[in-house]
Amino acid sequence: MNAFPQTIHFIGSNTPRRMEISVRDLEVEGEIPAEVNGAFFRAVPDNAHPPMFEDDIALNADGMVARFDIRNGAADFDIRYVGTDRYKAEKEARRALFGRYRNPFTDDPSVAGMDRTVANTTPVWHAGRLFMTKEDGLGHEINPHTLETVGKWDYNGALKSETFTAHPRIDPETGELFFFGYEAGGLCDPNVAYCIADKDGNLVSEQWFEQPYLSTIHDFVITEKYAIWPIFPTTADLERIKAGGAHWAHHQDMESWLGIMPRYGKVEEMKWIRGPKGVSVFHEVNAYDDGDLVHIDMCITDTNAFSFMREAGGIDIPQQEVKGSLVRWTVDMSKDEPAIEQHELGPPGDLPRLADANQGRAYRRAWYLSMNPQGGPPMLGGPVGANFNCLLRIEPGNRRIDMMGLPPGAAISEPAHVPSGEAGHDGWLLSVVDMPNNPDPSQQVPGDYSSELWVIDAGNVGAGPVAKVKTKLPLRSQVHGTWVSRAKLDTSVLKG
Ligand SMILES: [Fe+2]
């Protein structure tokens, strides 16, 4: 194949753009607050070549690292491919050599045994280094000033796990990085590696444990006392993969689980708690201790939100009929056999953002993306095929919700949070919004839009943006992003 398929994974905001560009001094409408000073790094999957298979999916695309660099109210934009083994091999061959999503048995024989990761999910900053991550491989270190790829990061050979999550958690007081890798020993290995790196980036702990079944563990949470793995019934099967099938299939009839252990303890201390059947979560907002109680807040759906994972499990539920909500799971750790109590906190949605300082602690507010039913049909694209069209700010304590809607047909990406130096100020949110070039919904053409970076008062999202940074380009959908302050950039290990 030498053309891109015209499926949901390659149209709308999933239209391949494939541009490595740098633009200085983007147009700014409004005023960027002076304290927004640093870099917003974004992970953008974007196929460098048409895929080998017509039914390929957006999650299988090469990782690009994008950056809005902001200072003194001005913004520059850069985007580069991550130099994975896979990207370099395909660039040399001028065509796709790697086949289906997380299935090495569908690859061109010339790349047998080669690292397949595309590093396309989350930029992670820790101990002065920037990494591009995807859960099926090691993180790739990126020079934060040049966006050049330095190489794979295995803690100078200390890390035994072959994988590194796209959702590690950093304790705001100790500066430690808590992370894990599932399929730690290779394809379909049931082991999970649980690791801690200290504030200086040294790997100080790595322990392996076996999960109840071979599931996709996309995210996890920490509290001041515990490390917690919520596990949902989307499972891998080596025989299916060997036959050329899907890596993941969801199962409505299987139970979910919570694995909870003291965060500085031994994996042998893990308590496994049974949860409801068939549900699915990709992102937790936060978790915290409340005496003996542990609260875990997360974006839950009644089945898997990805159609290709439902289809592989024989589940016939159209995307618009997937139900979900923001929920809190509470467990009482003083009990020998704790049970899960579930309470609803807010409407359906995903891509939550928490202030870094609130990680693992009781928190007053957080933000996530949702669908505004009054906002018209969503823009096609994004990982699940339909983009979110509103931003919510929620106070879990009193369930107060504020919303920032978008014009019809526009799409919003996961926000980054910039803390404010002003006491009592909620800080700022940065979010890329894709604006259709034609405001008339009946005339809009998929893929015809301009991407803008909106700067929003995080305490007053309903007021809309205080500034819009205009790229004048249609950027491909981002997955996750991260904010890195100027102070951190200035003390980075690698220099420009
Ligand atoms: Fe994620």
Side-chain angles (χ1 to χ4, degrees):
M1 191 196 303
N2 60 4
F4 288 96
Q6 291 301 298
T7 65
I8 195 72
H9 297 278
F10 297 93
I11 64 166
S13 66
N14 287 338
T15 304
R17 304 296 180 183
R18 308 193 293 153
M19 292 179 292
E20 294 189 290
I21 56 172
S22 294
V23 187
R24 277 182 67 81
D25 292 316
L26 297 166
E27 282 181 35
V28 180
E29 182 184 309
E31 200 163 321
I32 303 174
E35 64 182 354
V36 178
N37 182 10
F40 176 22
F41 293 101
R42 304 164 57 242
V44 180
D46 199 343
N47 306 65
H49 301 88
M52 285 174 70
F53 296 96
E54 187 81 16
D55 59 357
D56 200 28
I57 60 170
L59 298 181
N60 203 22
D62 298 289
M64 297 192 84
V65 53
R67 178 187 61 202
F68 285 95
D69 191 274
I70 301 171
R71 72 170 99 200
N72 301 328
D76 299 340
F77 177 75
D78 301 87
I79 183 165
R80 297 283 180 277
Y81 275 106
V82 181
T84 59
D85 293 352
R86 169 169 166 167
Y87 171 76
K88 288 188 278 192
E90 293 187 338
K91 187 178 178 187
E92 179 72 23
R94 290 183 173 269
R95 66 184 178 94
L97 300 170
F98 292 80
R100 292 202 160 89
Y101 181 64
R102 300 187 64 175
N103 190 330
F105 302 97
T106 60
D107 293 347
D108 186 283
S110 66
V111 294
M114 194 179 284
D115 189 346
R116 304 181 90 252
T117 194
V118 282
N120 69 4
T121 312
T122 311
V124 172
W125 181 274
H126 186 241
R129 294 180 194 273
L130 177 67
F131 306 103
M132 281 288 285
T133 62
K134 184 179 181 73
E135 63 198 39
D136 66 350
L138 293 176
H140 282 60
E141 187 177 10
I142 305 291
N143 183 315
H145 308 285
T146 64
L147 302 190
E148 284 166 4
T149 302
V150 180
K152 291 176 222 180
W153 182 249
D154 63 0
Y155 292 88
N156 302 311
L159 183 67
K160 299 293 175 283
S161 175
E162 294 181 22
T163 61
F164 182 103
T165 178
H167 289 287
R169 300 270 174 176
I170 297 174
D171 187 285
E173 285 172 36
T174 69
E176 293 160 308
L177 182 82
F178 294 84
F179 66 96
F180 67 97
Y182 71 87
E183 299 192 20
L187 184 69
C188 290
D189 175 39
N191 286 293
V192 180
Y194 168 44
C195 308
I196 306 172
D198 68 16
K199 65 176 176 37
D200 301 316
N202 303 303
L203 186 70
V204 293
S205 170
E206 178 172 5
Q207 305 181 67
W208 289 30
F209 65 89
E210 203 165 309
Q211 53 166 324
Y213 44 69
L214 183 45
S215 76
T216 167
I217 315 179
H218 186 65
D219 193 359
F220 89 136
V221 270
I222 56 164
T223 70
E224 290 178 82
K225 288 194 253 179
Y226 299 105
I228 305 165
W229 288 266
I231 287 175
F232 302 95
T234 301
T235 65
D237 178 83
L238 188 56
E239 292 311 311
R240 182 177 65 229
I241 296 169
K242 280 183 177 170
H247 193 110
W248 299 119
H250 192 69
H251 304 276
Q252 270 333 113
D253 55 347
M254 284 173 67
E255 283 154 328
S256 51
W257 290 89
L258 271 184
I260 304 189
M261 61 170 277
R263 76 180 202 182
Y264 298 116
K266 299 280 174 214
V267 291
E268 291 74 22
E269 297 172 77
M270 186 85 74
K271 260 186 191 174
W272 289 106
I273 304 167
R274 238 174 253 275
K277 289 181 178 174
V279 296
S280 174
V281 171
F282 282 91
H283 301 111
E284 287 86 39
V285 181
N286 197 14
Y288 64 94
D289 305 307
D290 177 5
D292 289 329
L293 303 180
V294 177
H295 303 299
I296 305 147
D297 298 349
M298 53 197 183
C299 304
I300 200 165
T301 46
D302 55 3
T303 183
N304 196 298
F306 287 97
S307 59
F308 69 94
M309 298 188 192
R310 295 196 299 278
E311 283 159 17
I315 300 163
D316 182 20
I317 300 176
Q319 197 65 31
Q320 63 274 18
E321 288 176 22
V322 175
K323 304 275 188 300
S325 52
L326 179 69
V327 296
R328 169 164 294 178
W329 280 8
T330 299
V331 292
D332 183 346
M333 294 301 288
S334 69
K335 300 201 166 146
D336 288 338
E337 292 191 16
I340 294 169
E341 274 187 49
Q342 177 171 310
H343 301 280
E344 195 158 316
L345 295 180
D350 206 341
L351 299 173
R353 175 61 62 186
L354 179 74
D356 290 345
N358 293 150
Q359 188 69 253
R361 273 67 176 172
Y363 65 109
R364 192 171 54 79
R365 79 298 192 229
W367 304 267
Y368 66 106
L369 304 183
S370 187
M371 297 301 300
N372 174 15
Q374 273 83 51
M379 181 189 284
L380 299 177
V384 301
N387 284 289
F388 291 111
N389 69 358
C390 69
L391 169 70
L392 302 180
R393 176 187 182 278
I394 183 156
E395 296 185 3
N398 58 26
R399 297 178 199 185
R400 181 183 152 189
I401 293 172
D402 293 322
M403 183 184 88
M404 182 189 78
L406 297 179
I412 185 165
S413 301
E414 181 187 78
H417 179 253
V418 183
S420 173
E422 189 184 321
H425 194 294
D426 251 15
W428 307 96
L429 298 175
L430 305 181
S431 202
V432 171
V433 174
D434 299 326
M435 295 286 287
N437 288 330
N438 192 326
D440 177 353
S442 68
Q443 301 294 316
Q444 287 169 1
V445 177
D448 180 25
Y449 59 87
S450 298
S451 301
E452 304 176 347
L453 177 68
W454 286 17
V455 183
I456 303 147
D457 180 340
N460 189 14
V461 301
V466 300
K468 296 178 180 175
V469 178
K470 304 197 171 186
T471 70
K472 305 278 176 132
L473 297 165
L475 302 178
R476 206 181 195 206
S477 285
Q478 155 199 332
V479 185
H480 297 294
T482 196
W483 172 255
V484 181
S485 68
R486 184 68 52 198
K488 286 181 179 171
L489 288 167
D490 287 346
T491 54
S492 59
V493 173
L494 298 172
K495 304 302 173 193

